[in-house]
Amino acid sequence: QLQLQESGPGLVKPSETLSLTCTVSDDSIGSRNYYWAWIRQPPGKGLEWIGNIYYSGSRYSDPSLESRVTISVDTSKNQLSLRLTSVTAADTAVYYCARGWGDSSVGVFDIWGQGTTVTVSS
Amino acid sequence: AIQMTQSPTSLSASVGDRVTITCRASQGITNDLHWFQQKPGKAPKLLIFTASRLQSGVPSRFSGSGSGTDFTLTISSLQPEDFATYYCLQDYNYPLTFGGGTKVEIK
């Protein structure tokens, strides 16, 4: 079964840039059948959608994060990446990558990574 | 952004009970609504997509219904492994938005 694995620093200083990678266990990241997402969950709180990226290269992200977030795919490495600039304590969360599928849906996330905890603190 | 309101925020139930969780959208979203289950320390798991379609491998005691603004997730006979937090997600338009979650606890 396909697996997703997030990786990156667990601690980031305020005002710095958070960079995470999600490694996909096969080459489906280059398939037009799927799309990819980042979702986060602050401690003790609910799920927050960060953004999606599609085979076409199109990307959509939450307006509250749009000016700070970059989502990209490297098909040669089977990796999805997240970059979030100018972080604050409010960005402390468990960050998940996820795979989505479906021609007419953009939120059917059927496979998730285990999540990686990022703490923003000096 | 479309607001998704789940109710109740938590509930206590016994094994074998029928449980219903509601998700209401701030505007019509046709059937662009999905349900996820999350257990403590684990990633969410897709249960139901497009309001009523059961994800492969999910037990048939889970079902979803609704269209427009009001949606329901029903567990017909609660099992010990169903104690978890449940979230709805709308993808009718961007930004995608989750409901606040419903925690199902053991009575």
Side-chain angles (χ1 to χ4, degrees):
Chain A
Q1 164 131 8
L2 178 74
Q3 293 186 335
L4 308 182
Q5 179 68 60
E6 303 92 346
S7 59
L11 181 64
V12 181
K13 290 182 168 55
S15 79
E16 295 190 344
T17 296
L18 179 163
S19 294
L20 297 176
T21 297
C22 172
T23 300
V24 181
S25 62
D26 66 14
D27 61 359
S28 60
I29 201 165
S31 170
R32 64 174 63 246
N33 296 322
Y34 305 111
Y35 49 92
W36 305 88
W38 287 98
I39 294 154
R40 70 181 184 180
Q41 186 168 34
K45 296 189 178 181
L47 300 168
E48 299 178 352
W49 176 74
I50 298 172
N52 283 12
I53 187 167
Y54 299 90
Y55 174 82
S56 64
S58 298
R59 307 154 211 222
Y60 297 86
S61 54
D62 190 278
S64 68
L65 300 172
E66 201 162 30
S67 63
R68 300 193 292 128
V69 71
T70 302
I71 296 174
S72 60
V73 164
D74 186 335
T75 55
S76 68
K77 296 181 179 178
N78 293 337
Q79 289 181 338
L80 171 71
S81 296
L82 172 70
R83 188 169 177 268
L84 185 65
T85 62
S86 304
V87 297
T88 70
D91 296 311
T92 294
V94 176
Y95 285 76
Y96 295 100
C97 59
R99 184 189 83 170
W101 66 272
D103 291 336
S104 59
S105 294
V106 296
V108 183
F109 302 124
D110 64 335
I111 296 179
W112 295 62
Q114 64 186 29
T116 188
T117 299
V118 178
T119 301
V120 178
S121 176
S122 55
Chain B
I2 297 174
Q3 304 299 316
M4 305 302 296
T5 303
Q6 281 185 240
S7 61
T9 54
S10 66
L11 66 89
S12 296
S14 300
V15 172
D17 284 354
R18 181 181 182 88
V19 169
T20 299
I21 297 168
T22 297
C23 187
R24 174 165 289 174
S26 60
Q27 67 181 73
I29 59 171
T30 62
N31 64 346
D32 295 332
L33 187 285
H34 319 300
W35 290 98
F36 297 85
Q37 175 194 64
Q38 186 180 33
K39 296 181 180 179
K42 300 295 186 182
K45 172 187 174 182
L46 178 67
L47 296 178
I48 301 283
F49 61 97
T50 53
S52 61
R53 298 179 65 182
L54 193 68
Q55 171 69 354
S56 176
V58 174
S60 59
R61 63 181 179 272
F62 290 94
S63 64
S65 64
S67 182
T69 60
D70 294 315
F71 300 85
T72 299
L73 173 70
T74 299
I75 309 172
S76 61
S77 178
L78 197 66
Q79 298 302 299
E81 60 268 31
D82 302 336
F83 291 96
T85 300
Y86 295 84
Y87 294 93
C88 61
L89 168 69
Q90 71 78 23
D91 67 353
Y92 179 76
N93 61 18
Y94 296 105
L96 309 191
T97 45
F98 287 92
T102 296
K103 187 174 184 179
V104 177
E105 299 176 300
I106 301 172
K107 180 181 284 186

